[in-house]
Amino acid sequence: MIHELSDVHSLNIGDNTNIWQFCIVLENAKIGNNCNVNAHVFIENEVVIGDNVTIKSGVQIWDGITLEDNVFIGPNVTFTNDFLPRSKQYPKEFLKTVVKKSASIGANSTIIGGVIIEEYAMIGAGSVVTQNIGPQELWYGNPARHKGYVCKCGQKCDEKLICNECKESNK
């Protein structure tokens, strides 16, 4: 479903993907199956979005950004793709940022261009991410710091990497 009040130029949109009102999707963007793109989202040309991705309202996804399958992007998350921006001066290549499978980024976080957020990682709301994040790591703060680990089910692990909710070992 593409809402009639959105401006979508890409033909590379998977089945069962919803794009809500006031979104702009440029022609070379690739969006997978079963995604939910909330209102007021901008998706540039050189963007790849996997299957089952949720993008909440107020997010801009710039050239060079890849969101793998099952990623969650909270409201008003900000991505960057140029470390030294100047008006009307463009880099030869934009920084590449990858958010890997099943990672989650909390509301109002800022992701500095060029980082990799590994599988199942969790970024707390309002964080400023300036470096790579490892698999299943929990980071938050400004600047974001490593605060622990999360289970694949999304709950925090104890100091022995046992999930507090499902009791799964995450070693």
Side-chain angles (χ1 to χ4, degrees), residues 120 136 149-157 163 166 168 170:
Y120 296 96
Q136 291 182 253
Y149 292 89
V150 291
C151 181
K152 291 180 180 178
C153 78
Q155 298 300 308
K156 194 170 181 183
C157 295
C163 177
C166 73
E168 181 80 21
N170 288 279

Side-chain angles (χ1 to χ4, degrees), residues 1 29 72 98 103 116 122 131 136 142 151 166 168:
M1 188 282 305
F72 174 85
V98 179
I116 298 171
M122 178 90 56
Q131 58 188 307
Q136 291 182 253
N142 180 5
C151 181
C166 73
E168 181 80 21

